Each structure stands twice: as structure tokens, then as C-alpha cells.
Amino acid sequence: MTEGKDGGLASSRRGFLAGAAAALTATSCADDLFRRHYKHLSEVDKKELFARLSAQASERAGTPIRIGDPPAQDGVAFAFCMDLSACKGTRRCVSACAKENNCGQDPAVQYIKVLELDAGVLQATAGDAYYDADKVPREGKIYMPVQCNHCENPPCVQACPTEATWREKDGIVVIDYDWCIGCRYCMAACPYEARRFNFTEPQVPAEDVNPVQGYLSNRQRPKGVVEKCHMCLHRTREGLYPACLEACPTGARKFGNLADPTSDVAQIVRTKSVFVLKEELGTHPRIFYYFG
Amino acid sequence: MLAVSLLLATIAVPGSVAAPPLPSLVKPSERLPLVLVTASWCQWCKVLEHETLPKPIVQAVLRKSYDFMVADAETSPAWMDIQGLQGLPGLVIFNRKGRHLLTLSGYRGPELLSGLLHDIALRIDAGDVREYKLRSAYPPMSTAALDAKGRRMQLQRWERGLYIAINSNNGGFGSPARRPEPELLLEMLGWSQAGGAPDRVLDGVKRTVQSAMAGGSPRLAGEPLAGFKYSAAKLIKMAKAGPEGSFWKQGIDHLPTYDPYLGIRDPVDGGFFRYAAGPGWYHPHFERRAEDNLIWILLLRALGYSEEAQRVETFVTKTFGQGGLLAAVQASNPFYYRLTAKERSGLSTPSVDSVRLMRTQAWAAKVWPKRCQALLRVSADKWPRHLWTATAEDIRSPAAAPDAVGVLLEALAECAEPEAKARAKDLAGFITQRWTDGLLPLGFDRDRLHRLAAGICRARPSDCGRALHAVRDLAISSKYAPALVAAAQTQVGSHTQPAVDGSIRIRPRTLKLLKYPCGECHERGETAQGLWAGGHDLALAHTGLEDQCSLCHLMDNKEQLTLRGQGEISFNRSHDLCGACHSKRKRDWQMNAHGKQTGGWKQGTIRLTCVECHDPHTPGPLYFKPEPPLVRPPLAMPRSSNRD
């Protein structure tokens, strides 16, 4: 009896293990399931992870895709300055951003909102993000681009139950899309409506996929995760400008290293009358608005 | 030698079009298949077939390297359509796998033909045939305008041709240089230093110079030569004795008839010969032109062979210096040293080529820029005026060839004396103006115009665009082209690099002016009204500035702007003009609080100037068509961004 019981136990354990193994092989992401938090991964682990993700992404997209993650550098504090008198509401930044970052197209996900405000009423909450015009700027209107403010004291990070979002040492607030469980607490916590949720599998036509991808930035997201502006960290950490700045035809966007007193953003913050959104919340945003 | 280079130029290059299906004549072989295309009606085919080809010198080459076959164009007309065949007789050469490589059209004498075939086989063996394949990979260019791609591809093709020329003529494949063109080498070196030239250009120049320096006659170098009676020491003794010495005749009698690789460096007296001795030349002969040796000095200096450069300098000053530069010029007469001593003594005044005189003087001034004035003041009978005081009218005289003027402009621009630079600038300005007006007697071949344009670029950079524009449709095929390319590289290169204003780097606007120089249409000194009639699609509505073109534009040179208190300024500095009134805006722009930038925050921002966005003639608000808005989500509130 004991023998039979032992035998039954052994066989059932074997069966369980075999079933578990089969399930893991079927999903082919055992490593993804059992890996540690991104911040605790060693360089070797990261290398393996990127290789695996690149292979998966390449297979899905049908083109070679290389996923990497340029590390944050010391002595760098990224910041945006927005010249509101130069912004003409062309939305070039919005489309360039979506294209650069492989954002879903149907339904469209966009990180940047350009708000149309009545001149003289500088209240972002009263702005219209859906203005449609043949010609901008429209009479009596001013325009204000709004996106993730990369707060020094980010409420979203505190809200996240899984530590899927955190602030890097160069000031960029990032999301690990593999760690996000899609609870959307961060979206509720963000006072700037900067975060977007993928209600469906993001649809990006194969020819539109940007093959230069970063793990924490623009790699293609699955359904059910939160995403947002990451200051194009796969570009900016290599010394380039973010895609929105490159696309802006009027030069309303300024980007640079706030920690470097000779940089243009530092000079603007020093010499111009800059303001931030919802200063009273104590979030200390890294996007500074001014009228040039 | 000239004939050989002309013939080389007529070698047709197979294009990308496949040759017609050829008769089974051509089979893969150890040797290179060579097909003579002939016809019964072709007289020169018969001469070639019955008189030239049977000659031992031709037979030797054919036996060694080629599988010789004959094709009758009448029975197999497909041969007449083969790529590059311009006439009969035709010699079609294939590689060992039966792929068509090149076609020689027309008759050639036995010496030339054997030399040519030998050379081609040598090149194919050395793997240089890759060049021919590369050529056919590029489609023919229809326009040679300054557009970047066209110019680049044209340059590539031209450079490959030049590379082949250097290898075949100037000592490739380990053989000593036979007939290097020092000016070409110098210009290619300049091109390489200006940037943009492939590495092999510099390699080719270095190799040729090294081979020219090392290469002497094997006899002079002390190497044994089969069948030659005298030792090197003896030969040197003969050479020193000169044509009058008793050894001279003896030495000549014992020279073998054909020895093309004797080198050009004179290890006895110094300096470089123009040619290595070859068939028909007595050896050693003393045609060491002053002009060539002056260029050799520059070349050797630039490559860091200062010792050898010093030797050549000593040679030039010793040989040509005593009688002043005029003697040097006389010695530069190519026929002078070919004459016997008797014939020479009968000449009271050697004939002097005025163009060569001008060039020799100019090169001398380039070699010794500190003695510029003295060197350019030498006069000769056919050139009554000094080059130092040459006026615009002198430059227009038919005695002044454009290439010589080009060198003169360069020499003046490099002179140590400050007034020389101003003179060069004035002359270049005059020439450009006359040139664009069609008033300069410039009916010369395009080579020389390239040289002139290069000189203008060096002497007066602000006119470089117009000069480049003037030669834009001339195919780049000349030996003077490297000078032009080097000049253009410097000029165009400087227009693609960011302009610098203090610590600010600016996206340059002057590249546009290179493509469409204002001076092409607008006269120098044209008035505001004339400028207005130019047909530009613009209105002038800049408050208070109507009819005041000259406030910003320099009337004497439309390629420049003018700023009160600062004079001539570049179009890249137009923000200084705007900032003269809009000073507060300029301050914002300077710290990048206003204006568009590109580049990168780390590797350096490149700024756009005011006029990239704002029309300086009709300033006003800027309007754009916006990108379409986001589709409002179906369940969203009417103003979804409004949550309060």
C-alpha cells in the first residue's frame, strides 16, 4: 500500500513536472517568467535578455530588430524647456514621437498632447487637445505641449505596486513593460495625464516599426501595459536629441543637461521666467515652460 | 609616350550592357583570349594582320600572354556590336573566364601595340582588372552639375581612370616610374590632403614618388645587366663626360635597344628627368626641365623627403640659377636639350614658350614664396611685362594660357609679400567677372579651365562658387582636375561644415550660393533697381528697409552681405544683420532660447539662422498645417483632457 501510495505520488509528481515543463515550453518564456527585477539583473543576464527579446521581436516584425538599453550616465539631468511663444500647434512632435516609439496606431496611442488654450487664460486643464484646423496658429489661441514631466518626486512611482516604474539617475522615469501588471494605479496617480494604457494589442504596421529599440523605451509593448514618454532615452543617452525636438519646425522645444550650467536648458531656466505645471503639488517637474 | 597615353585614353570600357552572344571562339584558357575583329574591306586590318602582327616584338607578347583568334565581322556581324568597338580593326580582350574586358579600336604600330598589350596583360595579372569591372557597375551620368551625388560619382569614375593611368605610366607593380607627371602627383596629393580622396590616391602618389626616387637604371644602381659591356662606375663616368666626351658615343653604342625601366632620377647630378629612357631615347639624356624639378621640390617637401627636396633645390639653383631664371626657362624648352651641342651653339636665343615661362616662374614663386617678387620680375622677350605687375589686360592676352594663370594666381596667393595676396584677389575677381561675362578668350581645352578655376578658388575664395559653376559642365577627365577637386573640396567642404560664431555652430547657408551663385546673373556693382529686376519671387515689406538692398547686400559681390561697421560678412552670419536691430531676439538666439536646432545635446548643437524661418524681405507670422488630431475615443467625455 505504501509502495502503491509512493508509486502514485511519484507518478503524479512526474506528471505534474512534465505538465509544467510542457506549459513552459509552450509559452517559451520560462526565463521571462522566473527572472528577477530588471534593476537586479547582472550585465550577463541583461545581455541574454536583450538577445532573447531581440530574437522574439525580429521574428514578430519580420525585420532584424536590436533591443538594447543605453545606461544612464552620471552628472546628467535631462530636462525640457518649452518656448510657448514659439509653439504654433503643428503637432509635428506628436506624430514624430508616436512613430519613433512604435506606438499603437489603432487605437492610436500618443505620448504628447498639444493643448489649444485661449490666449490670456493659462490654464492647461481648460485646453483642447482635439483642435482641428487647416492653419495654425489660430487667432487668439496659444498652444502648449504636454507630456510626462519626469518629476523629481513622481507620484506614479510611489503608486506602482510592483515597482514596474522607477526614476533613473539621469531623471528619466521609466517603465519595465515586462513587470507592469496593468493595474493602472500610476495613471490615477499622475497629475498630468501623461500615462497611456494599451487596451488592445498595439497595432504597428511592419513597415512603420522603428528597428532601433530600447528595453525601457520604445520596444513594442504587449497588450495591457502602461506606457508614456521616456525622453527617447535610446536616443538621448547616446547624445542625440529626442524625436519630438528634431521634428519641431519652430524650435519651441529645448532639451539638454540641466546639470551642465553652460547647457541651453540651464541658461534658459536661469535667465528666463520659467514655470512648471501644478507646481503646488510638489512634484518638481523637469519640463519648464517659458515665453521666449 | 604621349601617343601611348592618348591611346590609353581611347581604350573603350565595357558598359553594363552584356556583349552579344559571341561565337564559340572564346573559351576559358590559361592565356587571355584576344580576338582580332577584321573585315575584307578594311585596309588597316590587312596592314595589321600581315605587317604588324608578324613582327617579332608583337609575336613575343602574343605568345606570352594571349590566345590569339581572328573573327570576320562580315560572317559574324555580332562582333560589330561588341561594347566599345568604334571601328576596325578591333582587338577585343577577354579575361580567362571568357568575360569581355576591353576593346581597342583602330590600327596601332608594332611598338605601341606590343607595349599596350604587354601593359594590359601586366595589369590583368596584377589584379587591376577589378577597376574595369567596377566601372561597368556605375550607370552613365547624364549631368555633371554640382549636385552632390552626381559630382561624387563622376569623381569616383574619374579617380579610377586616374589610378589606372598612374599605374600604367608612373611606376606601378614594382617597376620604376617611367613618366610621372609631377604636377598631377602634386595635385592628387593636395586633393588627398583636402579630404575626400580615397586612401589609394595617397598610396598611389607615395608609391610613385618612392619608385621615382629609388628607380634608376639597373646599371646606374650597380646591378648587373645581361649583355651590357660596362659597369655602373664606367657608365657614370660616361654620363659625366657629357655628349662631347669620347666615352659618350661608346656608351650609346652599347646601350640595348629597348629597356623601358631605367628610372627618372639622376643619381649623378641630381634632379629628375622628364622621362625614363625608352625606345628611341639615348641614355642618359639631360632633359631635366626647371618646371618639372620645381614641382618635384614641392612634392618631395610635402611628403617629408626634405633631404631629396634639398638635393633637387641645389640642382635647380646650380643648373638654372646662374643665368637667372630666364636660363631656367630656356632650359625648360623641351627641344633645347635634344639638340646636339653644335646645334645648340648655333642658337642665339633658344625659343621660349611664353606659357611655360609663366608656369616656370609661378612654380618657382611657389617653391620660394619669400623671394616671390624677385622671381616674378624676370622678363623674357615674348613676355615683355613682369608677372609681378601683370594687369588684368595682360592676363587677357592670348599668351597667357588659363592653366598658367591658375598657377600664377596660386603662387601670388601664397607669396610672403602682403600686396601679392591683394593682387591675386583682384586678378581673380577680374577673371571671374570676365569669365562669367564670356569676355575672356578662354577657348582652350577644358583641362586648363579646371586649373584656372582651382587658382581662383585659392586666390579669391568668395568667387570660388562662380568658378566652380563655370566649369560644372566640363567632364572631369583632365590631369588638372585634382587641383580643382582639392580646391572644391576645401570650398564645398567648408560649406557643409557648420559655420562657427564664437561658441555657436551654425548650419551653413552658403552651400546654396555655390550651386546658384548670385554673380551668375547679377553684375558686380549692380544697383538696387537692377537687382530688383532679377525676377525673384519676393516682395519687400520690411518696415523702413524698402529700396535699401545695399543696407544688407554687398553690391560689389553679391555672394556676400555687408554689415555697417564690420564690412563684408558671409551669408552664414546673417543673424548679425538681423541682430543689429532685433538685439533682444539675438540675445535669446545666442543662448538657444529662441530658434531651431539640430545635431545633438552632447555632440554639439547646430543652430539655424534667423532667415531659415523668417523671410528677411517680407517678415510676418508663420503659419503651418497641423497634423491631424487624435481620434476622440468613443467613450471619452467631450473634452477628455479636462478632468476637473
Side-chain angles (χ1 to χ4, degrees):
Chain A
M1 190 174 167
T2 38
E3 276 173 345
K5 193 182 173 186
D6 283 347
L9 186 64
S11 72
S12 71
R13 185 185 288 153
R14 261 201 304 277
F16 167 75
L17 287 173
L24 287 175
T25 321
T27 50
S28 80
C29 56
D31 291 334
D32 293 342
L33 275 181
F34 293 120
R35 76 168 170 81
R36 288 182 293 171
H37 188 274
Y38 185 71
K39 281 201 270 192
H40 303 304
L41 290 182
S42 69
E43 285 308 309
V44 180
D45 290 342
K46 279 189 184 175
K47 209 175 155 189
E48 281 176 9
L49 175 64
F50 295 156
R52 196 165 64 242
L53 291 175
S54 301
Q56 286 170 5
S58 305
E59 196 186 332
R60 195 167 59 229
T63 53
I65 285 174
R66 208 173 59 80
I67 295 180
D69 186 26
Q73 290 143 20
D74 286 319
V76 176
F78 286 127
F80 268 111
C81 290
M82 309 273 195
D83 182 354
L84 292 183
S85 40
C87 181
K88 304 292 179 198
T90 63
R91 288 206 191 98
R92 301 276 195 280
C93 54
V94 179
S95 54
C97 166
K99 203 162 179 226
E100 172 73 26
N101 293 318
N102 298 316
C103 291
Q105 296 185 0
D106 187 25
V109 171
Q110 294 173 344
Y111 295 164
I112 306 174
K113 272 183 210 167
V114 181
L115 303 177
E116 190 180 57
L117 307 170
D118 290 328
V121 186
L122 198 60
Q123 189 187 0
T125 49
D128 178 11
Y130 296 97
Y131 65 91
D132 196 6
D134 289 336
K135 195 173 85 169
V136 285
R138 290 201 279 194
E139 191 72 32
K141 302 284 186 187
I142 64 164
Y143 298 85
M144 174 189 265
V146 177
Q147 65 202 68
C148 173
N149 277 273
H150 295 275
C151 312
E152 289 174 28
N153 180 19
C156 51
V157 169
Q158 294 173 29
C160 180
T162 62
E163 259 191 76
T165 179
W166 66 91
R167 186 166 174 273
E168 299 260 289
K169 66 181 169 188
D170 53 6
I172 303 181
V173 178
V174 295
I175 302 172
D176 183 347
Y177 309 116
D178 286 355
W179 222 249
C180 175
I181 56 172
C183 68
R184 303 173 65 201
Y185 286 5
C186 56
M187 292 177 72
C190 176
Y192 303 107
E193 277 190 23
R195 291 177 167 250
R196 310 282 179 268
F197 186 66
N198 285 295
F199 284 97
T200 61
E201 190 74 35
Q203 300 297 315
V204 186
E207 67 270 19
D208 286 358
V209 171
N210 176 7
V212 183
Q213 298 187 358
Y215 179 86
L216 292 174
S217 56
N218 64 339
R219 68 185 169 114
Q220 285 174 281
R221 277 78 58 184
K223 175 184 174 181
V225 299
V226 171
E227 58 182 294
K228 66 165 191 68
C229 161
H230 40 72
M231 285 187 171
C232 282
L233 64 84
H234 54 284
R235 289 174 60 89
T236 49
R237 281 181 182 170
E238 306 283 358
L240 298 171
Y241 279 128
C244 51
L245 184 144
E246 292 279 0
C248 178
T250 63
R253 285 169 173 270
K254 306 291 167 195
F255 180 87
N257 179 8
L258 205 55
D260 172 11
T262 62
S263 72
D264 38 17
V265 283
Q267 289 189 61
I268 291 167
V269 170
R270 232 178 15 246
T271 54
K272 291 285 182 185
S273 308
V274 297
F275 65 91
V276 296
L277 296 180
K278 297 189 179 173
E279 188 187 1
E280 66 279 9
L281 297 179
T283 52
H284 299 288
R286 279 279 173 86
I287 296 188
F288 302 91
Y289 295 88
Y290 68 102
F291 287 90
Chain B
M1 281 301 174
L2 182 64
V4 171
S5 53
L6 283 176
L7 284 172
L8 278 175
T10 60
I11 292 177
V13 175
S16 52
V17 184
L22 300 170
S24 53
L25 205 55
V26 179
K27 293 195 181 71
S29 137
E30 274 300 298
R31 294 181 293 173
L32 300 163
L34 169 73
V35 179
L36 168 68
V37 186
T38 166
S40 64
W41 44 262
C42 164
Q43 182 203 342
W44 283 104
C45 300
K46 293 193 191 339
V47 177
L48 187 73
E49 233 173 317
H50 299 294
E51 286 182 18
T52 310
L53 290 179
K55 289 262 161 64
I57 183 173
V58 182
Q59 279 300 317
V61 179
L62 285 181
R63 268 202 304 278
K64 190 177 162 217
S65 311
Y66 294 94
D67 252 355
F68 183 72
M69 288 161 275
V70 181
D72 190 339
E74 284 165 302
T75 52
S76 22
W79 284 98
M80 288 303 282
D81 295 331
I82 199 155
Q83 187 78 24
L85 186 65
Q86 290 162 349
L88 295 185
L91 286 168
V92 189
I93 300 172
F94 299 83
N95 72 5
R96 293 188 175 79
K97 289 178 184 161
R99 187 182 180 278
H100 178 209
L101 286 182
L102 71 158
T103 309
L104 309 176
S105 309
Y107 173 80
R108 282 150 177 98
E111 290 84 10
L112 286 181
L113 188 65
S114 60
L116 204 56
L117 290 176
H118 179 71
D119 211 57
I120 289 169
L122 205 65
R123 268 188 281 167
I124 291 173
D125 284 342
D128 207 29
V129 72
R130 187 171 50 88
E131 306 298 329
Y132 291 109
K133 281 184 188 160
L134 266 178
R135 278 186 173 206
S136 59
Y138 285 91
M141 298 298 296
S142 57
T143 171
L146 257 179
D147 85 89
K149 195 183 170 202
R151 175 63 56 163
R152 198 171 59 242
M153 292 184 65
Q154 199 193 8
L155 279 177
Q156 282 171 352
R157 286 189 295 159
W158 160 80
E159 184 266 324
R160 273 195 296 279
L162 217 54
Y163 183 68
I164 291 170
I166 279 203
N167 274 349
S168 63
N169 231 356
N170 291 349
F173 312 118
S175 60
R178 280 184 283 162
R179 186 194 180 280
E181 192 80 66
E183 190 177 358
L184 174 67
L185 291 171
L186 185 66
E187 287 165 359
M188 289 185 76
L189 186 64
W191 179 29
S192 173
Q193 284 163 349
D199 290 344
R200 61 179 174 183
V201 168
L202 186 59
D203 290 347
V205 172
K206 276 187 185 160
R207 197 181 52 191
T208 306
V209 171
Q210 280 163 1
S211 96
M213 277 166 59
S217 161
R219 276 151 291 175
L220 292 176
E223 289 172 25
L225 190 75
F228 191 66
K229 194 175 167 185
Y230 293 110
S231 68
K234 185 94 172 173
L235 197 90
I236 291 175
K237 204 173 164 192
M238 289 179 188
K240 279 190 169 168
E244 291 86 0
S246 59
F247 280 125
W248 180 252
K249 181 79 172 51
Q250 239 179 322
I252 288 172
D253 287 346
H254 286 88
L255 279 172
T257 50
Y258 186 70
D259 181 4
Y261 299 130
L262 293 180
I264 59 157
R265 180 171 176 264
D266 183 350
V268 183
D269 287 342
F272 287 90
F273 297 107
R274 187 153 181 81
Y275 308 99
W281 290 97
Y282 294 127
H283 172 77
H285 68 89
F286 285 88
E287 193 191 334
R288 284 168 296 182
R289 289 187 192 167
E291 183 191 343
D292 284 350
N293 280 288
L294 289 166
I295 302 172
W296 274 108
I297 295 172
L298 291 172
L299 190 59
L300 292 165
R301 275 186 196 166
L303 283 171
Y305 299 116
S306 48
E307 212 171 295
E308 182 69 23
Q310 194 56 49
R311 283 193 68 227
V312 185
E313 259 187 78
T314 316
F315 158 74
V316 171
T317 30
K318 199 178 75 187
T319 315
F320 305 116
Q322 284 151 6
L325 194 74
L326 188 59
V329 170
Q330 287 160 356
S332 79
N333 178 347
F335 299 106
Y336 191 68
Y337 279 116
R338 289 194 208 167
L339 306 173
T340 61
K342 199 174 162 192
E343 286 169 327
R344 238 189 282 170
S345 65
L347 277 177
S348 53
T349 316
S351 64
V352 174
D353 177 349
S354 63
V355 172
R356 184 148 291 133
L357 165 65
M358 199 165 167
R359 285 171 55 91
T360 309
Q361 277 180 271
W363 283 114
K366 273 175 79 106
V367 171
W368 297 291
K370 284 181 186 158
R371 285 161 49 203
C372 212
Q373 187 169 355
L375 290 166
L376 290 176
R377 273 188 184 282
V378 179
S379 73
D381 51 350
K382 285 199 182 171
W383 183 255
R385 301 186 59 103
H386 306 309
L387 285 182
W388 181 253
T389 53
T391 61
E393 288 308 309
D394 294 332
I395 298 298
R396 287 183 66 193
S397 99
D403 55 333
V405 178
V407 181
L408 175 66
L409 287 177
E410 273 185 29
L412 281 172
E414 289 167 15
C415 277
E417 287 94 341
E419 65 263 37
K421 283 190 180 59
R423 200 182 295 277
K425 205 172 171 186
D426 283 354
L427 272 181
F430 171 81
I431 293 168
T432 324
Q433 189 193 351
R434 286 303 176 116
W435 191 354
T436 41
D437 292 350
L439 294 178
L440 215 57
L442 291 176
F444 295 91
D445 52 319
R446 59 197 181 196
D447 304 23
R448 296 166 175 236
L449 291 185
H450 277 146
R451 195 73 186 80
L452 178 59
I456 291 173
C457 280
R458 297 250 188 262
R460 193 184 172 97
S462 62
D463 273 350
C464 184
R466 298 168 81 196
L468 290 180
H469 197 66
V471 294
R472 72 195 183 281
D473 288 332
L474 301 181
I476 296 182
S477 62
S478 74
K479 72 168 184 181
Y480 295 119
L484 176 74
V485 176
Q489 208 79 42
T490 318
Q491 288 303 314
V492 177
S494 72
H495 293 287
T496 52
Q497 294 304 310
V500 176
D501 176 11
S503 61
I504 305 172
R505 303 199 306 151
I506 300 159
R507 185 163 90 180
R509 288 180 57 77
T510 40
L511 190 61
K512 294 175 182 174
L513 293 175
L514 274 188
K515 286 188 185 176
Y516 303 105
C518 312
E520 190 75 358
C521 305
H522 295 292
E523 292 275 334
R524 196 174 289 270
E526 194 179 342
T527 58
Q529 281 70 27
L531 201 60
W532 206 238
H536 297 285
D537 183 19
L538 53 84
L540 191 55
H542 199 150
T543 314
L545 297 184
E546 289 81 0
D547 278 349
Q548 297 207 25
C549 309
S550 60
L551 199 67
C552 300
H553 290 279
L554 187 64
M555 285 296 135
D556 284 342
N557 183 359
K558 305 291 186 300
E559 262 69 43
Q560 298 279 312
L561 296 170
T562 176
L563 178 60
R564 286 207 177 148
Q566 282 194 26
E568 217 169 288
I569 62 167
S570 158
F571 267 84
N572 292 335
R573 301 280 302 262
S574 58
H575 55 275
D576 285 343
L577 271 172
C578 307
C581 298
H582 307 277
S583 55
K584 214 174 155 189
R585 245 322 171 235
K586 187 185 169 191
R587 220 165 38 238
D588 273 358
W589 181 86
Q590 276 172 332
M591 69 168 184
N592 195 13
H594 179 86
K596 165 86 181 157
Q597 75 269 40
T598 62
W601 66 273
K602 202 166 166 190
Q603 49 263 64
T605 299
I606 297 167
R607 312 292 310 283
L608 273 58
T609 50
C610 319
V611 290
E612 303 254 9
C613 298
H614 305 284
D615 183 347
H617 300 110
T618 323
L622 304 169
Y623 291 104
F624 302 86
K625 182 166 174 39
E627 301 274 322
L630 195 63
V631 178
R632 210 183 284 261
L635 295 178
M637 292 186 297
R639 296 184 69 147
S640 78
S641 64
N642 189 351
R643 206 199 276 185
D644 53 7

